[in-house]
């Protein structure tokens, strides 16, 4: 078990074992696999989809998203604005943590203090918050610095931890780049309990008998196995070793659709794939010859890179026509998409060469391109193809690809000249990537935490709080449009395409595929 510090854990473990033994005849073990193992069980340590998606099965927030991605109550039964000063949340009563402890406002306060701390990777979520006030055991106010109509949507993945459990196990603060008790153990209020954890090998969950909500699942044991090699994962599915895998190799989709006994689940994710630059670095870190300056600080060079990349070729050949080119940091399905800025800069290698010459790099230069090889669909292949395209205009990309568990630390240490990134807005609103990716990083304001390249534009910084507080939809969209136009003109990033969702299951599995690519076990049925 994973909360052994409390005596009640032994009682609960025995109860769980007995209930599972009694129902063994109807027990349904569900086995699934993915390319990326969640690097931690701590919901505040890493702001990445593999972690947040997995832990949405174990922990819960004040609010959550339903099957249609609409916000609904979770640990909060209701909420209302306090004029323009913040939001009041009325908490659900009679909710238990997995170890039997009662859920109260004290746990929300402890979780806020933890998640907004300097050690937390999710602290940007709380940039608008001025203070948090516990009114009583089941009422808590989040006071904002200015009116913030998006706040409830913005904290859908803010997961609540047990204050007593944190204190008893010395985990009052998250460990982003190290480990503490919460890294491998969990004690949430969610539909499933973490029963075992072997990082990189196997993680096992079981239903929580004391869950406050109704479980739409007959799974009695859920086993997750990370499988980095695509062919190995497909072989495991076809042989019956697993029931579900995501994603599957794009080249296998036609075959799987024709294979009896299996179902391919296709959709469009909210995630935009992009290339980022080391804007703030005074020099290139990985160049063989250009060691005294950073060409990527010149917007003409960034635009040359943009126009040297044939996105249609990437989407047609490598992504096999499953991905759609994009011009912004959000897709057209997201709130705040700028309809007048849908055109990409054209693919034009000759124009790219001219821009390089104009910027003083007619002979090109070499640089380091960082890329994960197990985080996104065909990520390494996309980076290799990009490097090949850049070579045609005289730029040599020295590609370094690595597992995602090593990739994020490299980016946080600024060990790149250019990098590959995917971003799915947690609020399904254009404000989200602006807050995380586009504004100048500021630890005190808790913004720009994923702006690895230190892009900075004073006007974009001014626009963000205006976007966050503007209630009039047309005025708000005009502000977003202005920010998007600046990012496009300056080539802050190179948006490439929207990533597809490609899952595969046995035919006897019913599930829900959400556009955030979160796999929610409470909606899984084994028939």
């Amino acid at each position: 078990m994973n909360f052994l510090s409390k005596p009640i854990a032994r009682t609960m473990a025995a109860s769980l074992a007995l209930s599972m033994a009694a129902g063994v005849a109807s027990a349904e073990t569900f086995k699934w696999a993915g390319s990326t193992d969640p690097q931690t069980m701590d919901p505040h340590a890493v702001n990445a989809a593999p972690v947040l998606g997995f832990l949405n099965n174990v922990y819960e927030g004040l609010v959550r998203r339903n099957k249609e991605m609409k916000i609904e109550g979770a640990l909060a039964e209701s909420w209302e604005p306090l004029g323009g000063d913040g939001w009041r949340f009325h908490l659900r009563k009679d909710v238990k943590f997995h170890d039997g402890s009662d859920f109260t406002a004290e746990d929300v306060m402890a979780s806020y203090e933890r998640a907004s701390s300097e050690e937390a990777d999710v602290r940007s979520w709380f940039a608008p918050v001025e203070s948090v006030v516990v009114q009583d055991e089941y009422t808590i106010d989040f006071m904002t610095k200015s009116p913030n109509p998006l706040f409830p949507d913005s904290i859908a993945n803010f997961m609540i931890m047990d204050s007593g459990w944190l204190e008893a196990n010395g985990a009052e603060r998250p460990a982003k780049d190290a480990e503490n008790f919460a890294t491998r153990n969990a004690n949430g209020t969610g539909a499933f309990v973490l029963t075992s954890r072997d990082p990189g090998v196997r993680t096992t969950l079981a239903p929580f008998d004391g869950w406050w909500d109704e479980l739409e699942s007959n799974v009695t044991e859920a086993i997750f196995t990370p499988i980095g090699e695509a062919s190995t994962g497909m072989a495991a599915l076809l042989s019956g070793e697993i029931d579900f895998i995501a994603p599957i190799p794009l080249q296998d989709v036609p075959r799987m659709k024709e294979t009896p006994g299996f179902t391919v689940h296709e959709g469009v994710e909210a995630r935009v794939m992009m290339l980022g630059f080391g804007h703030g670095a005074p020099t290139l870190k990985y160049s063989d010859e250009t060691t005294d300056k950073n060409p990527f600080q010149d917007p003409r060079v960034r635009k040359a890179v943009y126009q040297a990349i044939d996105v249609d070729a990437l989407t047609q050949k490598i992504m096999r026509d499953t991905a759609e080119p994009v011009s912004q940091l959000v897709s057209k399905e997201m709130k705040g998409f700028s309809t007048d800025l849908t055109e990409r800069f054209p693919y034009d290698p000759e124009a790219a060469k001219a821009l390089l010459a104009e910027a003083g790099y007619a002979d090109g230069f070499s640089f380091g391109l960082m890329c994960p090889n197990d985080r996104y669909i065909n990520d390494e292949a996309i980076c290799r193809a990009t490097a090949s395209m850049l070579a045609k205009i005289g730029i040599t990309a020295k590609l370094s690809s690595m597992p995602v568990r090593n990739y994020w630390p490299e980016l946080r240490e600024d060990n790149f000249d250019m990098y590959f990134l995917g971003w799915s807005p947690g609020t399904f609103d254009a404000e989200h990537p602006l807050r995380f990716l586009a504004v100048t990083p500021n630890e005190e304001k808790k913004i720009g935490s994923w702006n690895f390249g230190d892009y900075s534009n004073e006007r974009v910084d001014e626009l963000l709080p205006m976007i966050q507080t503007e209630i009039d939809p047309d005025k708000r969209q005009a502000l977003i449009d202005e920010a998007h136009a600046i990012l496009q003109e300056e080539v802050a990033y190179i948006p490439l395409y929207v990533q597809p969702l490609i899952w595969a299951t046995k035919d006897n599995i019913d599930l829900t595929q959400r556009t955030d690519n979160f796999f929610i076990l409470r909606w899984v049925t084994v028939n």
Side-chain angles (χ1 to χ4, degrees), residues 150 429 431 467 470 472-480:
L150 283 176
D429 187 284
E431 178 272 342
I467 291 166
E470 179 57 62
D472 183 278
D474 292 336
K475 292 180 180 178
R476 184 176 189 270
Q477 187 61 55
L479 296 170
I480 293 174

Side-chain angles (χ1 to χ4, degrees), residues 32 35-36 49-54 69 244-247 265 267-271 375-377 424 428 499-503 512-520:
W32 89 104
S35 60
T36 304
V51 173
L52 300 178
F54 187 92
M69 298 304 298
F244 162 68
I245 189 168
H265 306 263
V268 177
E269 195 178 354
R271 188 176 310 280
R375 174 62 189 93
Y376 310 111
I377 297 175
S424 179
F428 287 73
Q499 180 165 273
L501 289 172
I502 308 288
W503 300 358
T512 295
Q513 185 182 63
R514 296 198 323 195
T515 55
D516 59 359
N517 201 20
F518 283 14
F519 179 61
I520 306 299

Side-chain angles (χ1 to χ4, degrees), residues 8-231:
I8 196 168
R10 289 188 286 273
T11 303
M12 183 189 157
S15 173
L16 180 62
L18 286 171
S19 66
M20 291 182 69
V24 70
S26 58
E28 296 292 349
T29 296
F30 175 77
K31 300 179 181 180
W32 89 104
S35 60
T36 304
D37 191 48
Q39 65 194 87
T40 179
M41 293 291 100
D42 189 329
H44 306 148
V46 177
N47 182 19
V51 173
L52 300 178
F54 187 92
L55 291 181
N56 259 268
N57 294 300
V58 178
Y59 288 98
E60 295 176 293
L62 299 177
V63 300
R64 68 187 183 190
R65 295 193 180 276
N66 64 16
K67 295 178 182 180
E68 291 75 39
M69 298 304 298
K70 304 297 184 183
I71 288 292
E72 64 182 19
L75 295 180
E77 288 184 314
S78 62
W79 53 95
E80 71 265 356
L82 298 171
D85 298 325
W87 291 83
R88 173 165 292 171
F89 292 86
H90 300 279
L91 307 182
R92 198 175 298 277
K93 299 177 181 178
D94 300 320
V95 172
K96 300 287 186 182
F97 284 95
H98 296 159
D99 69 354
S101 301
D102 292 328
F103 160 71
T104 68
E106 178 186 349
D107 302 304
V108 181
M109 175 61 85
S111 297
Y112 163 73
E113 291 174 344
R114 190 177 193 272
S116 63
S117 68
E118 290 187 8
E119 297 89 343
D121 196 33
V122 300
R123 65 194 310 261
S124 290
W125 297 346
F126 305 100
V129 176
E130 184 73 46
S131 63
V132 177
V133 181
V134 174
Q135 296 294 345
D136 58 44
E137 225 179 356
Y138 296 102
T139 309
I140 191 166
D141 296 343
F142 283 76
M143 311 307 294
T144 54
K145 299 169 185 175
S146 53
N148 195 299
L150 283 176
F151 185 70
D153 285 57
S154 73
I155 58 169
N157 290 318
F158 166 42
M159 298 179 221
I160 307 302
M161 305 181 78
D162 177 9
S163 57
W165 184 83
L166 291 171
E167 183 177 355
N169 293 292
E172 292 93 335
R173 292 292 180 267
K176 183 162 55 178
D177 300 317
E179 284 199 12
N180 63 22
F181 191 77
T183 305
R184 298 188 181 219
N185 302 277
N187 182 32
T189 60
F192 283 80
V193 178
L194 178 67
T195 57
S196 69
R197 169 71 171 162
D198 188 358
V201 179
R202 174 185 170 118
T203 304
T204 305
L205 306 177
F208 177 34
D209 289 341
W211 192 41
W212 58 269
D213 204 358
E214 182 178 349
L215 190 66
E216 299 178 44
S217 172
N218 64 346
V219 172
T220 52
E221 182 183 46
I223 302 170
F224 174 76
T225 303
I227 302 178
E229 179 58 47
S231 59

Side-chain angles (χ1 to χ4, degrees), residues 284-291 293 365-368 398 417:
L284 293 177
K285 295 180 173 65
Y286 298 96
S287 181
D288 294 328
E289 75 299 316
T290 307
T291 57
K293 52 189 171 182
F365 58 90
S366 62
F367 71 96
K398 299 164 65 178
D417 295 321

